[in-house]
Amino acid sequence: MEQIPHTPAIVVDETILNANISAMAEFAATHNLQLRPHAKTHKMGPVAHKQLAAGSSGLSVATLGEAQYFFNAGITDLFIAYPVWATRNDAQLLTRLADDGTLAVATDSVAAVHQLADVTDEHPGVEIMIELNSGHHRSGVFPDQVVPIAQAIAQRNMTLRGVFTFPGHSYAPGAHSTAALDEARVLREAKHILENAGYPTEVLSGGSSPSATATVTDGATEIRPGVYVFGDAQQLELGRIGWDDIALSVVTTVVSSQPAHRDAPARIIVDAGSKILATDKAPWATGHGRVLGHPDARIIALSEHHGTILWDSDRLPAVGTRLRVIPNHVCVAVNLVDEVFLVDHDGAVSTWSVGARGKNA
Amino acid sequence: MEQIPHTPAIVVDETILNANISAMAEFAATHNLQLRPHAKTHKMGPVAHKQLAAGSSGLSVATLGEAQYFFNAGITDLFIAYPVWATRNDAQLLTRLADDGTLAVATDSVAAVHQLADVTDEHPGVEIMIELNSGHHRSGVFPDQVVPIAQAIAQRNMTLRGVFTFPGHSYAPGAHSTAALDEARVLREAKHILENAGYPTEVLSGGSSPSATATVTDGATEIRPGVYVFGDAQQLELGRIGWDDIALSVVTTVVSSQPAHRDAPARIIVDAGSKILATDKAPWATGHGRVLGHPDARIIALSEHHGTILWDSDRLPAVGTRLRVIPNHVCVAVNLVDEVFLVDHDGAVSTWSVGARGKNA
């Protein structure tokens, strides 16, 4: 990693990235599932094109800004998997994405359907996916609440594409199978209720990175995993991937190396802090990320530019040593840099721009 | 806040910002302390110029990249308050900052002193501040460990400016006074030890936003608070500032409004998530930030683009409603946007670029 000019920096192993993309595409194809990966994880055109080349029909994105970036990068089949509250400022972009591409937008309320219809002048090309709550209790309605939303869509001459859910409660040890069953249950229930009310739906979309490969295939027609392209410490500690599946890490330098003294523990400080690793830490996480090649080291604290590590032996690395740290949650780490470094096995370095970084709106 | 084109977005109240800058400058002047604010909080030239106009001699920064940005913005007295491990790639910048301005760099090891001397060809204009551990147990040495570092500085013909510490353990309820006392103790002790060893020092630098106004003035000659310019939910919940001192907030839209149903609690979802508020949450924090004007509302969860709020009454705000949320830790929130909006009392909107955003190296 000495070829990286400054630390901290994010590096991507393209060989592992390619393998991760292929494996998920193969899973989806084998199980007759559409794969619409969530691009908020990588925010990069080149990664999206790899996903499409492997068989994805299109992408999921989180914001209109991400949709615009990927559309301009040549990816025209987009699902904004977020209950967008559209405003007049969004009208032109929504119309363009629908006219020149294939667009779906999420909703979980009658009011947002009317707002979207008002803003787009009832554009039937802006297809709508109703968001369901499968147990994560974030946005989304329960199946017994979908009919008024479908009615509003019909009333405004908009197009109902289907229903979707994010089983975010899969992010806990051992929870992925239960979450996948919950997902299948609400997707089937909603489909049944909508059909009985005269609103047949084709697309039933689910999937998170922990639960995607546990998807109940007669409960979903489509999956939307995101993190799987890079992997991260969360997926590792949930046991959903192995160390060899980690395609992305943060190259960092040891800037302070302190043997135990008075009441201060032996520790090293690296220059990867919360402004590159982010502070995400689930209650079950063992620390603020993991150290590649040192599974027993623990990142016990993060400041903005300091990672405090309890090392795996008494022989602390010297200041100036470079290490590689795996972020807990890769989506928020990538969003903190302008570019990532691709390091080839022959030592050559190239960069990719994180083109949709900061596209929060 | 209807004049902000898209949400989520960061807005700054310039009147409160000016008042915060004046108040800290007045405290420092009254107590005969130099004020060298930490610019990692705001990362913006216009804010730095306000700080200098109010009497700050220079800035503290966290990285070489931040130093370069502020130098180019016309602020030439800079202290990199971080134990930099300099490389040959940094030589040109370090030399320029020292030749054309006033530069100090932190260290906490003999090895980093030699590295800095090697990289800068023993440039005496690159002054050195030794970092002390006053109880936060991050980087920094104890006073009884400073002499070998001072010896290395002398041996390499470099310049010792003084000692500094960050009393980060001030970030706990009621801890600011104790942290300020710890800070004063290690600064005095280190000065005494260095003097006895033949290395007199003038500058004793301390201060965090919680502890700055509790600084023991015969223990420090300089303070380096950062957060005070904007305030945030952490300072509020620590009782160090009031609601009226909050200069920065995130304008956000309610995108989902869900009454209680089955086992899901009544809640609203806003479009401010961890990609604009960041996930920092101290053990004593009441949630992931606070809602302006609704002190009893609680942000119980954050995803990347979702903030889940338990509201302060049964009358949930409708989807489309705009609210203002105060981040827990403002330094990491500002680093997530390219620009902030200044909103005047007559409704006019202007923007400032966050010029040093993402300058992690």
Side-chain angles (χ1 to χ4, degrees):
Chain A
M1 290 297 129
E2 295 309 312
Q3 61 273 54
I4 303 295
H6 298 280
T7 67
I10 288 184
V11 292
V12 171
D13 183 316
E14 197 171 358
T15 306
I16 301 178
L17 171 67
N18 291 339
N20 291 344
I21 288 173
S22 296
M24 188 62 78
E26 195 176 314
F27 170 83
T30 306
H31 293 82
N32 203 24
L33 290 162
Q34 296 292 312
L35 174 58
R36 185 181 285 280
H38 210 310
K40 71 179 167 62
T41 300
H42 55 74
K43 290 176 171 276
M44 290 186 274
V47 178
H49 282 291
K50 284 177 186 284
Q51 292 174 313
L52 264 72
S56 300
S57 53
L59 295 181
S60 303
V61 296
T63 66
L64 277 161
E66 286 184 352
Q68 184 170 27
Y69 164 77
F70 283 108
F71 187 88
N72 290 336
I75 293 163
T76 58
D77 185 343
L78 298 167
F79 168 39
I80 306 174
Y82 190 81
V84 172
W85 182 260
T87 73
R88 288 279 165 205
N89 297 325
D90 306 318
Q92 198 177 355
L93 176 60
L94 286 165
T95 303
R96 178 169 163 238
L97 296 176
D99 284 343
D100 299 342
T102 303
L103 177 67
V105 175
T107 191
D108 76 353
S109 69
V110 168
V113 170
H114 285 298
Q115 178 75 5
L116 193 63
D118 288 347
V119 162
T120 64
D121 290 332
E122 302 194 351
H123 196 310
V126 180
E127 300 179 22
I128 297 177
M129 295 279 286
I130 301 175
E131 182 170 11
L132 301 173
N133 179 356
S134 52
H136 189 38
H137 305 331
R138 201 172 64 177
S139 46
V141 294
F142 287 103
D144 61 6
Q145 299 173 305
V146 296
V147 170
I149 301 173
Q151 285 170 334
I153 294 169
Q155 183 193 337
R156 297 303 297 268
N157 305 307
M158 304 288 281
T159 310
L160 173 64
R161 180 190 288 182
V163 293
F164 80 107
T165 189
F166 172 66
H169 55 311
S170 63
Y171 276 81
H176 60 276
S177 301
T178 315
L181 289 171
D182 290 341
E183 168 187 291
R185 184 174 41 75
V186 298
L187 291 173
R188 282 194 204 114
E189 254 182 64
K191 180 184 165 72
H192 182 71
I193 288 170
L194 284 168
E195 273 175 359
N196 281 355
Y199 304 105
T201 56
E202 288 307 316
V203 178
L204 308 178
S205 178
S208 64
S209 284
S211 69
T213 53
T215 299
V216 181
T217 50
D218 59 344
T221 64
E222 176 182 276
I223 53 174
R224 306 184 319 281
V227 170
Y228 77 97
V229 288
F230 297 134
D232 59 19
Q234 285 187 161
Q235 305 295 325
L236 185 72
E237 295 197 341
L238 286 172
R240 302 303 290 157
I241 61 172
W243 289 89
D244 294 343
D245 302 319
I246 304 280
L248 182 148
S249 57
V250 174
V251 182
T252 185
T253 301
V254 177
V255 295
S256 183
S257 181
Q258 301 294 339
H261 185 79
R262 293 192 201 173
D263 56 342
R267 65 201 184 278
I268 59 169
I269 309 294
V270 294
D271 62 7
S274 63
K275 278 180 173 168
I276 194 158
L277 290 171
T279 329
D280 291 41
K281 182 174 175 293
W284 41 264
T286 68
H288 288 278
R290 297 294 289 267
V291 185
L292 263 178
H294 297 274
D296 293 331
R298 285 292 176 271
I299 306 175
I300 59 163
L302 284 188
S303 312
E304 286 156 65
H305 300 277
H306 303 73
T308 303
I309 304 181
L310 298 187
W311 200 239
D312 55 2
S313 79
D314 294 338
R315 298 219 318 269
L316 301 181
V319 286
T321 305
R322 287 190 171 186
L323 300 171
R324 289 168 68 186
V325 171
I326 308 163
N328 272 346
H329 184 191
V330 73
C331 308
V332 280
V334 171
N335 188 50
L336 287 164
V337 297
D338 291 316
E339 60 185 12
V340 300
F341 292 86
L342 276 88
V343 181
D344 211 340
H345 292 287
D346 64 3
V349 171
S350 57
T351 59
W352 280 341
S353 171
V354 184
R357 181 203 53 73
K359 302 275 183 215
N360 289 319
Chain B
M1 291 298 127
E2 296 309 311
Q3 62 271 53
I4 304 296
H6 298 280
T7 68
I10 288 184
V11 293
V12 171
D13 183 316
E14 197 171 0
T15 306
I16 302 176
L17 171 67
N18 291 340
N20 291 345
I21 288 172
S22 296
M24 189 62 80
E26 196 177 312
F27 169 84
T30 306
H31 293 82
N32 203 25
L33 290 162
Q34 297 292 313
L35 175 57
R36 185 180 284 280
H38 210 311
K40 71 179 166 61
T41 299
H42 55 74
K43 291 177 171 273
M44 290 186 274
V47 178
H49 282 291
K50 284 176 185 283
Q51 292 175 314
L52 265 72
S56 299
S57 52
L59 294 182
S60 302
V61 296
T63 66
L64 277 161
E66 286 184 352
Q68 184 170 28
Y69 164 77
F70 284 108
F71 188 88
N72 290 338
I75 294 165
T76 57
D77 184 343
L78 298 167
F79 168 39
I80 306 174
Y82 190 82
V84 171
W85 182 260
T87 73
R88 289 278 165 205
N89 298 325
D90 306 318
Q92 197 177 357
L93 176 61
L94 285 165
T95 303
R96 177 169 164 239
L97 296 176
D99 284 343
D100 299 343
T102 304
L103 177 67
V105 175
T107 191
D108 78 352
S109 68
V110 168
V113 169
H114 285 298
Q115 177 76 3
L116 192 62
D118 288 347
V119 162
T120 65
D121 289 332
E122 301 192 353
H123 195 310
V126 180
E127 301 179 22
I128 297 177
M129 295 279 286
I130 301 175
E131 183 171 13
L132 301 173
N133 178 356
S134 52
H136 189 39
H137 305 332
R138 200 173 63 177
S139 46
V141 294
F142 287 103
D144 61 6
Q145 299 174 304
V146 296
V147 170
I149 301 173
Q151 285 170 335
I153 293 169
Q155 182 194 337
R156 297 303 297 269
N157 306 306
M158 304 288 281
T159 310
L160 174 64
R161 179 189 288 181
V163 293
F164 81 107
T165 189
F166 172 66
H169 54 312
S170 64
Y171 276 80
H176 60 277
S177 301
T178 317
L181 290 170
D182 290 341
E183 167 187 292
R185 185 174 40 76
V186 299
L187 290 173
R188 281 194 204 115
E189 252 182 67
K191 179 184 165 70
H192 181 72
I193 289 170
L194 285 168
E195 272 176 358
N196 282 354
Y199 304 105
T201 55
E202 288 306 315
V203 178
L204 310 177
S205 179
S208 63
S209 284
S211 68
T213 54
T215 299
V216 181
T217 51
D218 59 342
T221 65
E222 176 183 276
I223 53 174
R224 306 184 319 280
V227 170
Y228 76 97
V229 289
F230 297 134
D232 59 19
Q234 285 187 161
Q235 305 295 324
L236 185 72
E237 296 197 341
L238 286 172
R240 303 302 291 158
I241 60 171
W243 289 88
D244 294 343
D245 302 320
I246 303 283
L248 183 148
S249 57
V250 174
V251 182
T252 184
T253 300
V254 177
V255 295
S256 183
S257 181
Q258 301 294 340
H261 184 81
R262 293 191 200 173
D263 57 342
R267 65 203 184 277
I268 59 170
I269 308 296
V270 295
D271 62 7
S274 63
K275 278 181 172 167
I276 193 158
L277 291 170
T279 328
D280 290 42
K281 183 174 175 292
W284 42 264
T286 68
H288 288 277
R290 296 296 287 269
V291 185
L292 262 179
H294 297 275
D296 294 331
R298 286 292 176 272
I299 305 175
I300 58 163
L302 284 188
S303 311
E304 286 157 67
H305 299 277
H306 302 73
T308 303
I309 304 181
L310 298 187
W311 199 239
D312 55 1
S313 80
D314 293 338
R315 300 220 316 270
L316 301 182
V319 287
T321 305
R322 287 190 170 187
L323 300 170
R324 289 168 68 185
V325 171
I326 309 163
N328 271 346
H329 184 191
V330 72
C331 308
V332 279
V334 172
N335 188 49
L336 288 164
V337 297
D338 291 317
E339 62 184 9
V340 300
F341 292 87
L342 277 87
V343 180
D344 212 338
H345 292 288
D346 65 3
V349 172
S350 57
T351 59
W352 280 342
S353 169
V354 184
R357 182 203 52 73
K359 302 275 184 214
N360 289 321

